[in-house]
Amino acid sequence: MTVQDEATRQGVILTEVAAAKVGALLSQEGRDDLRLRVAVQPGGCSGLRYQLYFDERSFDGDVVAEFSGVEVVTDKMSAPYLTGATIDFVDTIEKQGFTIDNPNATGSCACGDSFH
């Protein structure tokens, strides 16, 4: 199975570095019922913005994938916007945080927090 086939099946891809960071953050929370939820919401300067947060809830139509022991959940409305998107974690002198490389985004704002 190719990476693109895997992305289509799972929706989003979490890199090993990002999975390790999410795993570390989850262990700090001290709860084993939380998963990383990735959503797309209206807002931001380009029209849509990403949301990443820990969530224990499950909804009908959720797309669930597991990466190195970390479950990633995407709701059914956000999934088409995130199919093939790769979530990574960068830790450089210039910036630190999660990044999303989304092939579905046709443009984004300068801050990188929203897209269209």
Side-chain angles (χ1 to χ4, degrees), residues 14 22 36-39 50-54 87 98-100:
L14 196 64
V22 171
L36 177 65
R37 184 169 289 277
V38 183
Y50 300 109
Q51 288 190 322
L52 282 79
Y53 56 96
F54 295 134
I87 300 172
F98 290 97
T99 62
I100 300 176

Side-chain angles (χ1 to χ4, degrees), residues 32-64:
D32 61 0
D33 62 334
L34 296 175
R35 305 178 294 177
L36 177 65
R37 184 169 289 277
V38 183
V40 173
Q41 299 290 324
C45 27
S46 291
L48 297 170
R49 63 185 174 97
Y50 300 109
Q51 288 190 322
L52 282 79
Y53 56 96
F54 295 134
D55 195 4
E56 72 278 355
R57 300 170 296 165
S58 293
F59 300 108
D60 285 340
D62 276 350
V63 177
V64 181

Side-chain angles (χ1 to χ4, degrees), residues 49-95:
R49 63 185 174 97
Y50 300 109
Q51 288 190 322
L52 282 79
Y53 56 96
F54 295 134
D55 195 4
E56 72 278 355
R57 300 170 296 165
S58 293
F59 300 108
D60 285 340
D62 276 350
V63 177
V64 181
E66 185 176 323
F67 302 92
S68 302
V70 172
E71 283 191 347
V72 179
V73 181
T74 306
D75 64 88
K76 65 181 176 183
M77 299 301 285
S78 298
Y81 294 103
L82 295 168
T83 299
T86 301
I87 300 172
D88 197 8
F89 184 81
V90 295
D91 189 1
T92 66
I93 197 164
E94 295 173 333
K95 67 178 181 175

